[in-house]
Amino acid sequence: MEYRNNDPGAVQYGNFINYYEFNNAEQRLKLLPRDVWLETENIPSAEPYLVLDVGCNAGDLTQLFYKFLNECVGVPRNRKIQILGIDIDEDLVQRAQIGNECAPNVSYTRLDIMDATAFEEVNEYLRQYNRHSFDVVCCFSITMWIHLNHSDHGLQQFLQKLSGIGDLLVVEPQPWKCYQTAVRRMKRAGDEFPLFSELVWRSNVEECVQKFLEKELGRKKVFECLPTRWQRRICFYR
């Protein structure tokens, strides 16, 4: 867990140690719809419903999401829910593993999604089920951290990579004011995001993400939740 000047909010990758104390997992889950998770009724019931949760933090939301999907898809459609939660922070992943009440249906691993070699672990997970894609790929409030650390091109690569392995993509992009807060906290702690000044996707970053997914990656927005208490929109793309 790396944060600067004893400020747990001054983190490079959004790896907040107390994230769920100020961003309640139950409240976010209440905003999710129950009828968008399946595109067709013709999927064999014996095939597991695979989910990738990118940036799972300590796993609080991941485990609640498993129970939620089990109610929406698992029991009604006789589908076994399997979730792989990944995060860049080893300490957070360890906490998720220790507190995992849903094993073996939910598993966690430390992984940098932007590292090509590490990403092979995700593909290996799919191969275990003889699959090429997940039914759902979720990235709740992590696009900003990819953006700040990997530039516009890096965020585009990230979205393209997830689109390539997910049938339904759930994205909760942070608005520009969150970028400004993250940069300000790092600056107070004597550090910075070196690529921040180079970003072209700026004040309209949420719109840029949507246009890229729709126009460049051929995705269609099928649902948008009411804004969270942080005024973020959870968007669903097929």
Side-chain angles (χ1 to χ4, degrees):
M1 188 78 61
E2 183 183 354
Y3 50 86
R4 283 90 171 150
N5 199 30
N6 293 321
D7 180 1
V11 291
Q12 184 177 1
Y13 299 107
N15 45 333
F16 300 105
I17 191 171
N18 59 346
Y19 180 73
Y20 294 110
E21 291 181 15
F22 60 86
N23 203 337
N24 185 272
E26 287 91 347
Q27 290 178 355
R28 184 185 286 164
L29 202 69
K30 290 178 181 178
L31 296 174
L32 299 183
R34 290 181 169 266
D35 57 354
V36 303
W37 307 103
L38 289 174
E39 184 177 22
T40 176
E41 302 294 331
N42 298 323
I43 302 174
S45 61
E47 186 172 273
Y49 190 86
L50 300 185
V51 181
L52 178 65
D53 184 14
V54 184
C56 64
N57 199 271
D60 297 41
L61 180 58
T62 313
Q63 292 192 65
L64 289 175
F65 190 45
Y66 164 74
K67 297 172 183 176
F68 173 81
L69 285 177
N70 205 41
E71 295 176 358
C72 298
V73 177
V75 174
R77 297 289 180 261
N78 193 27
R79 301 285 297 277
K80 183 179 180 181
I81 310 297
Q82 295 289 153
I83 301 183
L84 173 63
I86 63 175
D87 199 278
I88 198 171
D89 191 290
E90 187 172 356
D91 292 341
L92 289 173
V93 169
Q94 186 176 39
R95 287 176 59 190
Q97 291 169 338
I98 292 173
N100 189 2
E101 299 177 353
C102 302
N105 299 89
V106 177
S107 58
Y108 301 99
T109 188
R110 188 271 170 190
L111 192 149
D112 180 357
I113 193 73
M114 298 300 288
D115 183 272
T117 301
F119 187 69
E120 272 304 305
E121 292 185 42
V122 175
N123 289 323
E124 178 58 34
Y125 183 88
L126 286 170
R127 284 192 286 269
Q128 292 177 21
Y129 297 96
N130 296 314
R131 297 276 294 277
H132 297 288
S133 64
F134 292 86
D135 292 279
V136 181
V137 174
C138 300
C139 46
F140 293 106
S141 288
I142 64 167
T143 54
M144 177 181 72
W145 305 106
I146 300 293
H147 202 188
L148 286 171
N149 287 286
H150 297 279
S151 76
D152 294 328
H153 180 63
L155 178 55
Q156 292 163 12
Q157 284 186 316
F158 170 77
L159 295 171
Q160 185 172 21
K161 182 179 292 189
L162 296 191
S163 288
I165 58 168
D167 299 334
L168 179 65
L169 184 60
V170 181
V171 186
E172 183 188 16
Q174 292 101 319
W176 186 245
K177 65 180 181 179
C178 295
Y179 286 68
Q180 295 170 313
T181 299
V183 170
R184 185 166 58 248
R185 296 187 79 161
M186 284 286 273
K187 187 175 181 179
R188 283 203 304 261
D191 211 332
E192 64 176 349
F193 294 101
L195 300 177
F196 176 68
S197 61
E198 301 176 11
L199 301 183
V200 176
W201 287 10
R202 298 179 77 84
S203 58
N204 62 338
V205 61
E206 295 167 285
E207 182 181 343
C208 290
V209 168
Q210 178 172 328
K211 286 185 176 180
F212 184 77
L213 285 168
E214 293 180 333
K215 296 182 182 298
E216 300 298 326
L217 300 181
R219 291 269 162 171
K220 179 182 179 182
K221 185 194 283 188
V222 294
F223 191 85
E224 180 180 314
C225 293
L226 293 172
T228 67
R229 62 186 294 262
W230 295 96
Q231 297 304 305
R232 299 175 189 175
R233 301 175 302 150
I234 305 174
C235 303
F236 295 70
Y237 297 89
R238 283 206 179 277

